[in-house]
Amino acid sequence: MRLVDLSHVIEEGMVTYPGLPGPHLCDFWTREGSAEHYDDGSSFQIGRIDMVANTGTYVDSPFHRYEDGADLADLPLGSLADLPGIVVRRPFENGLATGAEHFDGFDVGGRAVLVHTGWDRHWRTDRYGSEHPFLTGEAADWLVANGAALVGIDSVNIDDTSGKARPVHSKLLAAGIPICEHMTGLGKVADEGFRF
């Protein structure tokens, strides 16, 4: 079995989404400082990470959009892990919007549907956060109607952030479909026949 990590590494100060603070990584307990607590010379390091939840590659649960929706801890593990997966290739050079027509012919029922746009090549650049690939509201309707279990994208947001509406978040999360954003490495994953 081959494992492919689809997440970005969390680094000090990195910006995941424009306007949100980057994480702060530091020692809470250093080896040098901890040694005084033990008689046998033992020492330990305990790290500390201060960050907003939307840092790096993450999953949005229904609570992200809806006050009465399930938060990440309330989602069944089976809705996030060991799902059959499918990758839909939609290079951003062919257009930023991925519509319902781009999913025609794909069997997405019960699957993690991962949209590979190639936008992750802009990670940690100014370009990453603007004019990015996204799904349309009609694509979200199609994914809900066809039973997608989870939807992911290798972009800054699954919605078009040039406007002030978030139809994809609204529709997928209302249907209980988790969203994974800021994915990377989807080019290393087969089109189908894998587990997410």
Side-chain angles (χ1 to χ4, degrees):
M1 177 175 57
R2 182 173 70 102
L3 298 176
V4 178
D5 186 352
L6 301 177
S7 62
H8 289 285
V9 174
I10 294 177
E11 299 174 287
E12 173 71 27
M14 70 181 220
V15 174
T16 297
Y17 191 86
L20 295 180
H24 176 60
L25 306 143
C26 61
D27 287 330
F28 178 75
W29 210 4
T30 65
R31 294 188 190 286
E32 298 78 20
S34 69
E36 67 186 56
H37 298 286
Y38 302 97
D39 295 331
D40 63 356
S42 296
S43 65
F44 300 91
Q45 187 275 347
I46 297 177
R48 180 175 180 159
I49 302 172
D50 293 314
M51 65 183 193
V52 297
N54 291 45
T55 297
T57 304
Y58 55 80
V59 173
D60 286 336
S61 68
F63 182 74
H64 177 61
R65 172 67 179 81
Y66 299 103
E67 185 175 355
D68 61 348
D71 72 8
L72 198 56
D74 291 330
L75 291 177
L77 192 54
S79 71
L80 301 169
D82 200 27
L83 295 168
I86 186 168
V87 176
V88 176
R89 312 278 176 200
R90 179 78 175 117
F92 71 87
E93 297 91 348
N94 295 342
L96 298 180
T98 297
E101 68 276 11
H102 298 111
F103 294 101
D104 282 343
F106 288 100
D107 176 11
V108 302
R111 295 182 182 203
V113 180
L114 311 179
V115 181
H116 177 216
T117 71
W119 196 251
D120 57 333
R121 75 184 71 165
H122 300 300
W123 178 251
R124 303 284 314 266
T125 69
D126 290 339
R127 185 166 185 205
Y128 184 77
S130 63
E131 296 181 23
H132 58 84
F134 59 90
L135 272 58
T136 65
E138 293 76 20
D141 289 334
W142 190 96
L143 290 163
V144 169
N146 286 276
L150 177 146
V151 179
I153 192 167
D154 59 356
S155 177
V156 68
N157 200 298
I158 202 162
D159 270 297
D160 180 1
T161 59
S162 67
K164 293 188 176 183
R166 299 294 180 266
V168 180
H169 275 87
S170 297
K171 293 172 182 196
L172 294 180
L173 296 177
I177 300 171
I179 298 168
C180 187
E181 292 173 316
H182 306 280
M183 301 182 84
T184 189
L186 289 172
K188 299 175 189 172
V189 179
D191 291 349
E192 56 186 318
F194 65 91
R195 307 295 293 182
F196 177 78

